[in-house]
Amino acid sequence: SQNISIPRQSGSATGEWLDLDGTSTITPSDPVFDNVSMTMKTVAGMTQMSHRALKQGLPGVDQLVTNDLAKVLATALDVAALTGAESATVPGGILTRITPTSFTPPPDLGDIVDLEGAVAQANALEGSLAYATTPALMATLKQTPVDAGSGAMIWTGSLDGAMMNGYRAVASSNVPLNTVLFGDWSSVLVGMWGNGVEINTDEYSEFSKGNVSIRAIMDCDVNLRHLASFAAIEPA
């Protein structure tokens, strides 16, 4: 249950122009390293089922409940990775670690391209680059021409193979309203303690009532390897 500390390079060595005529000396310079830390935080959920629900429910109803709890925790982790307000109990999300640029919805192509420019300006335009926004904004961008009179739309392709500005695009209801996020998703670090989702069943606390409780717990944390790998726009 120890905290996780992952080394990262936060500064580079420097280069200099010299006349190496036998008298000049190269000045030593070293890269700078620090650590990305993650501290165990816990998300949990529990469902209580009656004896009758277990007996009269569909075959495998307990497995359906278990699967639902696992999905609920995965969604909670996804939301935290995007918007979590970092605290002793909640991971810090991407949008709370960076400073999004304000804009007036809906976005145009310029707003979208500016996100790529911001990441490129930070020399971070590499890795698993992709856009993320909401399903509603996806629908808008699929109907927004690249420019006036153009038949090409900003968002193209299906949900599973969508593209925007030459990069993969994803729509998720976990993204805040009218927000567009762009960056290297491989720089998002997710730490897990244990074997992921821990499922336990309690048949005894309410033994006299015949109730059974199913509990799901996940110990995890989220951090970014490089803050500069992301840029975002959000409503003014």
Side-chain angles (χ1 to χ4, degrees):
S1 300
Q2 293 183 343
N3 295 335
I4 299 172
S5 185
I6 301 173
R8 70 175 170 187
Q9 185 173 338
S10 59
S12 300
T14 58
E16 57 182 331
W17 294 99
L18 297 170
D19 180 5
L20 290 179
D21 58 356
T23 60
S24 299
T25 301
I26 301 174
T27 304
S29 60
D30 298 320
V32 179
F33 295 91
D34 61 7
N35 293 292
V36 179
S37 62
M38 284 184 280
T39 304
M40 188 172 73
K41 299 173 176 67
T42 301
V43 58
M46 188 169 73
T47 295
Q48 190 174 79
M49 302 182 67
S50 69
H51 173 78
R52 179 170 295 180
L54 285 168
K55 291 297 183 181
Q56 294 183 340
L58 295 171
V61 65
D62 53 339
Q63 187 61 52
L64 291 175
V65 170
T66 298
N67 292 343
D68 180 68
L69 284 170
K71 183 178 179 180
V72 166
L73 299 196
T75 299
L77 177 59
D78 192 31
V79 171
L82 290 168
T83 62
E86 186 173 14
S87 69
T89 57
V90 180
I94 298 169
L95 290 168
T96 55
R97 294 179 186 274
I98 66 174
T99 303
T101 300
S102 297
F103 82 112
T104 301
D108 57 23
L109 183 62
D111 295 318
I112 302 300
V113 175
D114 282 347
L115 294 178
E116 178 188 347
V119 176
Q121 180 66 35
N123 295 317
L125 198 64
E126 58 185 9
S128 300
L129 298 166
Y131 287 92
T133 189
T134 66
L137 201 49
M138 172 200 69
T140 297
L141 293 169
K142 290 188 77 169
Q143 303 173 72
T144 304
V146 170
D147 52 47
S150 172
M153 301 299 162
I154 295 177
W155 185 293
T156 60
S158 63
L159 185 61
D160 293 332
M163 300 290 290
M164 189 162 59
N165 186 36
Y167 294 97
R168 190 168 70 92
V170 176
S172 170
S173 57
N174 295 332
V175 177
L177 182 66
N178 285 323
T179 297
V180 183
L181 182 60
F182 174 73
D184 171 21
W185 295 88
S186 66
S187 71
V188 180
L189 302 175
V190 178
M192 289 283 185
W193 283 258
N195 297 317
V197 179
E198 174 188 319
I199 304 291
N200 295 106
T201 302
D202 178 11
E203 302 177 8
Y204 305 107
S205 295
E206 295 199 355
F207 182 79
S208 62
K209 297 179 181 179
N211 293 336
V212 175
S213 297
I214 302 175
R215 184 191 69 188
I217 294 177
M218 183 166 60
D219 299 311
C220 55
D221 197 11
V222 179
N223 209 330
L224 292 180
R225 186 178 291 276
H226 302 293
L227 291 178
S229 293
F230 280 95
I233 52 175
E234 63 181 10

